[in-house]
Amino acid sequence: MRRSKQFTRTLRDAPADEVARNAQLLIRAGYVYKVMAGVYAYTPLGLRVLERIKQIVREEMDSVDGQELIMTNLQHKTTWQRTGRWDDEVVDVWFKTALQDGTELGLAWSHEEPIMEMMQQFVKSYKDLPQSVYQFQTKLRNELRAKSGIMRGREFIMKDMYSLHATEEDCDRYYESVIEAYKRCYDRFGIGDSTFVTFASGGAFTKFSHEFQTITDAGEDTLYINDEHTVAVNEEVLDDATNELGIDKASLKPVTTAEVGNIFKFGTEKSEQMGIYYTAADGSQKPIYLASYGIGITRVMGVIVEKFADDKGIVWPVQIAPYQVYLVSIGEKGSQKADELYKELTDHGIEVLYDDRDARPGEKFADAELIGLPYRVTVSERGVEAGTYEFTERQSGETSILTHEELLAKLGELLG
RNA sequence: CGGGGUGUGGCGCAGUUGAUAGCGCGCUCGGUUUGGGACCGAGAGGUCGAAGGUUUGAGUCCUUUCACCCCGACCA
């Protein structure tokens, strides 16, 4: 992509109404556009990041036999009345609307009940189980107060997966496999080292749920972890969990974290509340075991910005970056050579954001750092004369002078 | 929802005791520049969040209202 053709531009100053670092940087660099409090649009640049995150999650969910689908944002009142969760006293984040004839509808804040209602039509027998379905879906939650930029909005994108099982053992086994799939996701996002599977407050069925929490100062949660990083407990269940696990509370130290995933088991509660049963081998009607698994896609994006950004701007892990290379041309000779390199790299399947604007080097460098692509290649007049290219890593700031051959080899090595 | 704060060109801001809006960035045109956000010159762009009121006169005072931010509460 040529920057001269992109409609987004960078801003020197962040809007005064944003305090959250992730929102400031994402707006300045042109990844998101704020529509209202807690509601952000994603530009082509931002969308690319979301798609990267989604693709990783998609691959990992597929690896545990998840089947991707997409539910709807308009939901039946009656669906939620089956579990008593239509009531505003029970769920306080509902956006509600109505058809012209007065029929009340809900706007999706979650999809547990709608998924179960749909699955009722397909899952009739023990032979139809287990099943696991997931989606990337826009969730609408009427939060009292939006905050933390894209980390806690009223509209956000979430991957939610639901697994249905005939037995508790099967559900438990599957649940464990999803934990492993989740770990692979966070590893691939580049935040695996600082993300912990955490004991958190549970649902009605299990004592604890599991949260995936990433260490970041921008987080809203406090986690207690041991030195070996093998035990992590959310502050909200610290006493209960340490008692249950027989762990000395004093051996755990607090860290500030942001929740980047939450998984939990419903047992047969949802199935029983909704009156959804399958036929067992002996012909009897049995309730379905349900578990659900969420990853906030937009939130992950925000957390990654918060974690890695420096005083110059965003620093994307290479797997998440919207493009891998920021190509800078300097001067007319540099520009000609950069055109050639742009085509060559693109032909090699490398995704390049090419700063071909008629702008001064300082401005291009500043933008490169703000936008935060992992690698910058600079093509200048002096480089053209010497037959070299400048290669700079965003994270370390290290620069090396490479020949054409060396540059291609380097990129090939780094980008596979 | 309780408390606090802020709304003035796209972004960041100034506007003294009321007298009909200004600066920086950005944008347009011309020229000089070209390795860390250049310089000179000429321009475009704002019913000062909205409504009502006081006044000869309101960005400025009063009332109401909307939006945004922060703290708290809330948060499968």
Side-chain angles (χ1 to χ4, degrees):
Chain A
M1 182 68 188
R2 288 171 181 266
R3 286 220 53 201
S4 63
K5 294 187 176 173
Q6 256 183 333
F7 73 82
T8 51
R9 59 164 58 253
T10 57
L11 294 173
R12 242 184 234 251
D13 302 305
D17 68 355
E18 288 287 5
V19 171
R21 188 168 171 69
N22 68 83
Q24 287 188 341
L25 289 171
L26 289 167
I27 290 171
R28 281 187 55 212
Y31 287 89
V32 304
Y33 169 79
K34 183 180 198 169
V35 174
M36 63 184 80
V39 180
Y40 296 84
Y42 291 77
T43 67
L45 209 47
L47 182 60
R48 276 183 163 260
V49 176
L50 290 180
E51 292 301 326
R52 295 256 188 215
I53 296 170
K54 283 166 66 175
Q55 187 54 30
I56 288 171
V57 174
R58 178 176 288 124
E59 288 169 15
E60 294 303 337
M61 296 306 103
D62 288 350
S63 81
V64 289
D65 297 328
Q67 300 168 63
E68 186 173 353
L69 52 71
I70 188 156
M71 298 296 287
T72 66
N73 264 299
L74 293 173
Q75 301 179 335
H76 281 300
K77 170 184 176 177
T78 50
T79 304
W80 290 89
Q81 284 177 327
R82 292 173 74 170
T83 58
R85 294 213 289 179
W86 178 256
D87 192 339
D88 290 327
E89 298 292 313
V90 178
V91 173
D92 64 1
V93 293
W94 269 120
F95 281 107
K96 291 178 179 176
T97 185
L99 294 177
Q100 293 207 24
D101 68 5
T103 304
E104 285 183 279
L105 298 177
L107 300 179
W109 66 277
S110 174
H111 288 83
E112 285 143 4
E113 278 78 344
I115 286 267
M116 280 300 278
E117 195 162 86
M118 183 190 79
M119 294 306 276
Q120 181 176 23
Q121 185 178 131
F122 300 106
V123 174
K124 297 296 185 187
S125 139
Y126 73 97
K127 294 175 186 170
D128 299 324
L129 292 169
Q131 292 294 343
S132 184
V133 297
Y134 74 95
Q135 64 174 342
F136 297 96
Q137 178 64 265
T138 298
K139 307 286 183 182
L140 302 164
R141 294 188 184 177
N142 201 350
E143 302 277 0
L144 247 49
R145 180 184 164 206
K147 59 187 260 188
S148 306
I150 66 167
M151 288 173 64
R152 180 160 172 194
R154 295 197 168 93
E155 176 175 329
F156 56 94
I157 298 170
M158 183 163 157
K159 185 285 299 178
D160 45 326
M161 183 163 81
Y162 306 88
S163 70
L164 291 73
H165 307 269
T167 65
E168 185 171 8
E169 297 70 41
D170 192 56
C171 184
D172 290 349
R173 181 194 54 73
Y174 187 76
Y175 188 89
E176 292 304 318
S177 76
V178 176
I179 289 179
E180 295 309 312
Y182 266 49
K183 287 181 184 170
R184 293 194 293 273
C185 287
Y186 299 112
D187 282 343
R188 294 176 64 183
F189 297 159
I191 57 175
D193 290 346
S194 54
T195 300
F196 302 99
V197 185
T198 308
F199 288 93
S201 56
F205 188 73
T206 48
K207 185 148 191 173
F208 304 112
S209 72
H210 292 96
E211 287 173 346
F212 292 79
Q213 294 271 2
T214 302
I215 296 176
T216 167
D217 291 339
E220 299 178 296
D221 291 322
T222 300
L223 216 65
Y224 284 79
I225 58 176
N226 64 358
D227 288 337
E228 297 76 38
H229 289 180
T230 51
V231 176
V233 178
N234 193 309
E235 184 175 41
E236 63 191 21
V237 295
L238 183 59
D239 289 328
D240 271 5
T242 45
N243 284 341
E244 189 95 351
L245 300 168
I247 293 169
D248 180 11
K249 225 167 38 173
S251 69
L252 304 177
K253 289 174 188 157
V255 287
T256 300
T257 57
E259 182 191 319
V260 290
N262 190 195
I263 64 176
F264 39 92
K265 299 173 188 171
F266 283 100
T268 57
E269 184 194 37
K270 196 69 66 184
S271 171
E272 284 166 19
Q273 283 176 335
M274 296 181 76
I276 299 173
Y277 300 93
Y278 71 92
T279 305
D282 62 6
S284 63
Q285 294 297 106
K286 294 273 175 56
I288 296 167
Y289 286 83
L290 176 71
S292 97
Y293 318 83
I295 292 181
I297 302 296
T298 41
R299 171 175 275 218
V300 164
M301 179 171 166
V303 168
I304 288 170
V305 172
E306 294 279 354
K307 265 198 86 66
F308 298 118
D310 60 21
D311 58 343
K312 291 175 176 169
I314 295 169
V315 181
W316 294 114
V318 66
Q319 312 90 304
I320 301 302
Y323 298 87
Q324 285 106 48
V325 172
Y326 194 98
L327 177 61
V328 172
S329 66
I330 298 177
E332 265 184 48
K333 284 184 195 164
S335 180
Q336 285 172 18
K337 200 73 184 170
D339 278 351
E340 292 170 20
L341 185 63
Y342 175 57
K343 185 173 185 315
E344 185 177 13
L345 294 181
T346 305
D347 288 346
H348 275 77
I350 296 172
E351 293 176 294
V352 180
L353 185 56
Y354 175 22
D355 197 341
D356 60 336
R357 298 171 303 166
D358 180 22
R360 296 170 69 85
E363 187 176 348
K364 294 190 180 187
F365 293 153
D367 268 9
E369 281 148 0
L370 177 61
I371 290 171
L373 306 186
Y375 309 114
R376 185 181 90 205
V377 175
T378 306
V379 183
S380 64
E381 307 230 359
R382 59 163 96 137
V384 171
E385 282 163 20
T388 57
Y389 301 83
E390 205 172 285
F391 179 83
T392 307
E393 289 190 49
R394 173 64 182 88
Q395 189 168 23
S396 64
E398 283 172 20
T399 292
S400 44
I401 307 296
L402 304 176
T403 64
H404 182 261
E405 207 170 304
E406 288 169 339
L407 176 67
L408 292 189
K410 182 88 174 175
L411 287 171
E413 170 197 329
L414 290 167
L415 302 173

